[in-house]
C-alpha cells in the first residue's frame, strides 16, 4: 500500500514531552505536533491544539471535556498516558464517539513499590530523620530517637483493591507477614483474595483496624474527600495513611489537623488536591512524607506507559503494524475494558 501523502495524513498532538524515540513512531502514520518542553496548557490552548487533530496523546495535566472538544470536529481518539483518567470527561468523549484509552497494567508493580516505600517511610520516619540529621540536630545516639511503628506483622489496610491495591497486598502479606484487609465496592474472587491473603471488610472496620492504610481507589466526585475528619477520627492514633492515587480523595485540611494534633501518627502523600500546589500546613509538618506525584516514575515503566499510549492511539486511528489489517485491539479503551480498576 503506498504511503499516504503528508497532506492526507491524520494529525495528532502530543501534549507533553515523552520519549523522542517513542513519539517518533507516531510519525510513521501521522503528522505529529509534538511538545518539546513541559508546558502548562490553558483550557483554551488545549482546545486550540485539538482543533484539526484526529487524535492526541495527553497526560493528567490536560483536562479534556466538552469545551475542549467542541471545535475539534475531526477528533477521534484520546490516549491518556496514565492509568487514572479523571482528567477526561469520559461521558463527553463517548457522546462524541471519541475513543479514550489509558495505560493500565504496565505501571502496576512500579506504583505498588512506591506505595510500599511511602508506607515504610511514614512508619519509620525516614524523611523526617534525614531532615533532622541534615539540620545538624544529631548530637549523640540515643535510645528514643525517632521511634516509629512496625510494618512487619501489622495490619495493612487497602482502600481500592484493583490491580495496584492487590500488588501492595501481595508485598505486605508475603514480604512482611502483614494481615491484609481491604475495602472495595464488591468482594474479589476467592482466588485473588487467597493470592494476596486479603479479607474484605466494611469501610469503618478498615479505618478502625488498619495500622497502615493505603489509598488506591479511582478519584471521582463520589470518592472526593472519602478520607475526611470523620474517617480520620476512626483511625488508630498510631496509624499511617498513604495516598498514591489522587489528592482529592483526602480532605487535606482535616488531615493537617489530625497530623498536627497527634490524632494520626503520620502520612505519606504522593498526590495533592491542588497539585502542584501543596497545602502550606502540610509543608510545615514533620510527620508527613511528601513526594511530587512520582508513583509510576521508574524509567522502564514510564517508557512502557508511553509505548502503550502510542500503541493505543495508532490502533484507535485505524493503523497498526500491518497496513490493511483491522486495528490492534486497544488495551484499556475506556468504553470496553474495565479501567476503573487501578
Ligand atoms: C496514573 O497513571 O494515573 C499516574 O497518576 C500518572 O498519571
Amino acid at each position: 500500500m503506498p504511503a499516504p501523502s503528508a497532506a492526507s495524513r491524520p494529525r495528532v498532538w502530543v501534549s507533553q514531552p515523552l520519549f523522542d524515540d517513542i513519539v517518533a513512531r507516531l510519525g510513521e502514520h501521522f503528522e505529529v505536533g509534538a511538545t518539546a518542553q513541559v508546558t502548562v496548557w490553558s483550557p483554551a490552548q488545549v482546545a486550540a491544539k485539538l482543533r484539526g487533530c484526529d487524535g492526541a496523546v495527553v497526560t493528567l495535566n490536560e483536562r479534556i471535556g466538552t469545551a475542549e472538544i467542541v471545535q475539534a470536529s475531526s477528533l477521534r481518539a484520546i490516549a491518556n498516558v496514565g492509568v487514572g483518567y479523571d482528567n477526561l470527561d469520559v461521558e463527553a468523549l463517548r457522546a462524541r464517539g471519541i475513543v479514550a484509552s489509558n495505560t493500565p497494567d504496565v505501571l502496576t508493580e512500579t506504583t505498588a513499590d512506591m506505595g510500599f516505600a511511602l508506607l515504610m517511610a511514614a512508619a519509620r520516619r525516614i524523611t523526617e530523620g534525614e531532615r533532622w540529621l541534615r539540620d545538624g540536630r544529631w548530637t549523640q545516639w540515643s535510645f528514643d530517637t525517632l521511634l516509629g511503628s512496625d510494618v512487619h506483622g501489622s495490619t495493612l489496610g487497602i482502600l481500592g483493591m484493583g490491580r495496584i491495591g492487590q500488588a501492595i497486598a501481595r508485598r505486605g502479606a508475603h514480604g512482611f507477614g502483614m494481615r491484609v484487609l481491604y475495602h472495595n465496592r464488591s468482594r474479589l474472587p476467592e482466588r485473588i483474595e487467597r493470592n494476596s491473603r486479603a479479607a474484605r471488610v466494611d469501610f469503618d472496620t478498615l479505618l478502625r483496624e488498619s495500622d497502615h492504610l493505603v489509598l488506591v481507589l479511582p478519584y471521582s466526585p463520589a470518592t472526593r474527600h472519602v478520607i475526611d475528619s470523620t474517617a480520620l477520627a476512626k483511625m488508630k492514633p498510631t496509624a499511617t495513611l498513604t495516598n498514591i492515587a489522587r489528592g482529592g480523595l483526602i480532605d487535606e485540611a482535616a488531615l493537617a489537623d489530625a497530623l498536627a494534633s497527634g490524632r494520626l501518627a503520620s502520612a505519606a502523600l504522593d498526590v495533592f488536591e491542588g497539585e502542584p500546589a501543596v497545602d502550606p500546613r502540610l509543608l510545615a509538618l514533620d510527620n508527613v512524607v511528601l513526594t511530587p506525584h512520582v508513583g509510576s516514575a521508574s524509567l522502564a515503566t514510564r517508557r512502557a506507559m508511553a509505548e502503550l499510549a502510542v500503541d493505543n492511539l495508532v490502533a484507535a486511528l485505524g493503523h497498526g503494524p500491518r497496513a490493511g489489517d483491522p486495528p490492534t485491539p486497544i488495551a484499556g479503551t475506556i468504553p470496553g475494558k474495565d479501567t476503573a480498576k487501578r
Side-chain angles (χ1 to χ4, degrees):
M1 194 188 268
S5 71
S8 67
R9 282 160 37 115
R11 286 176 55 187
V12 301
W13 176 50
V14 183
S15 67
Q16 298 292 339
L18 300 176
F19 296 96
D20 289 349
D21 58 318
I22 298 173
V23 173
R25 285 179 37 221
L26 291 167
E28 294 165 23
H29 310 283
F30 313 122
E31 284 308 297
V32 183
T35 302
Q37 280 173 3
V38 173
T39 305
V40 179
W41 299 107
S42 69
Q45 287 173 316
V46 170
K49 286 286 180 187
L50 292 178
R51 219 176 295 145
C53 276
D54 297 80
V57 178
V58 301
T59 69
L60 58 85
N61 295 301
E62 291 77 47
R63 308 218 143 257
I64 300 183
T66 307
E68 286 73 30
I69 60 175
V70 71
Q71 293 184 318
S73 51
S74 47
L75 191 65
R76 289 182 284 141
I78 295 283
N80 202 45
V81 193
V83 66
Y85 52 86
D86 49 297
N87 55 313
L88 306 182
D89 181 340
V90 174
E91 283 315 311
L93 295 177
R94 210 194 304 257
R96 269 278 317 277
I98 297 167
V99 172
S101 58
N102 64 346
T103 60
D105 297 324
V106 293
L107 48 64
T108 299
E109 299 298 332
T110 297
T111 308
D113 284 350
M114 183 68 179
F116 223 88
L118 287 173
L119 180 164
M120 295 199 70
R124 297 301 306 273
R125 305 175 65 177
I126 289 174
T127 53
E128 183 185 354
E130 184 180 0
R131 269 195 309 277
W132 187 79
L133 179 154
R134 286 180 189 270
D135 285 353
R137 283 187 275 163
W138 190 20
T139 50
Q140 177 180 306
W141 184 88
S142 80
F143 202 59
D144 61 354
T145 300
L146 292 162
L147 300 180
S149 61
D150 277 328
V151 174
H152 72 273
S154 64
T155 296
L156 170 63
I158 297 179
L159 185 58
M161 191 70 158
R163 286 169 269 227
I164 299 171
Q166 290 165 36
I168 294 171
R170 289 195 298 274
R171 283 160 176 73
H174 301 294
F176 290 81
M178 297 170 93
R179 168 185 178 231
V180 182
L181 304 177
Y182 74 94
H183 180 69
N184 235 20
R185 267 174 311 192
S186 46
R187 192 175 161 188
L188 293 171
E190 238 180 278
R191 177 184 52 81
I192 297 182
E193 285 191 345
R194 244 198 334 271
N195 233 341
S196 40
R197 290 201 218 136
R200 180 168 181 262
V201 293
D202 60 41
F203 183 45
D204 276 8
T205 306
L206 188 81
L207 294 171
R208 270 200 320 270
E209 297 202 7
S210 297
D211 294 309
H212 305 288
L213 178 61
V214 184
L215 309 185
V216 210
L217 75 168
Y219 176 75
S220 72
T223 57
R224 179 167 190 265
H225 291 188
V226 62
I227 301 297
D228 57 7
S229 56
T230 311
L232 289 163
K234 291 177 184 162
M235 292 180 69
K236 296 182 185 182
T238 50
T240 72
L241 172 67
T242 296
N243 189 5
I244 52 167
R246 287 292 182 266
L249 296 171
I250 297 180
D251 176 345
E252 288 169 356
L255 177 62
D257 282 344
L259 290 169
S261 66
R263 178 65 203 79
L264 186 73
S266 57
L269 309 174
D270 184 48
V271 285
F272 305 88
E273 188 156 27
E275 64 185 52
V278 178
D279 186 323
R281 288 189 58 204
L282 291 173
L283 288 171
L285 288 167
D286 270 333
N287 53 345
V288 57
V289 178
L290 305 169
T291 52
H293 201 149
V294 287
S296 59
S298 74
L299 177 60
T301 291
R302 284 288 161 88
R303 283 191 64 86
M305 291 165 70
E307 294 274 15
L308 181 52
V310 163
D311 286 347
N312 282 339
L313 190 66
V314 168
L317 293 179
H319 293 263
R322 293 172 301 274
D325 277 2
T328 318
I330 302 163
T333 299
I334 290 165
K337 247 180 151 175
D338 178 7
T339 49
K341 294 191 170 61
R342 292 175 61 85

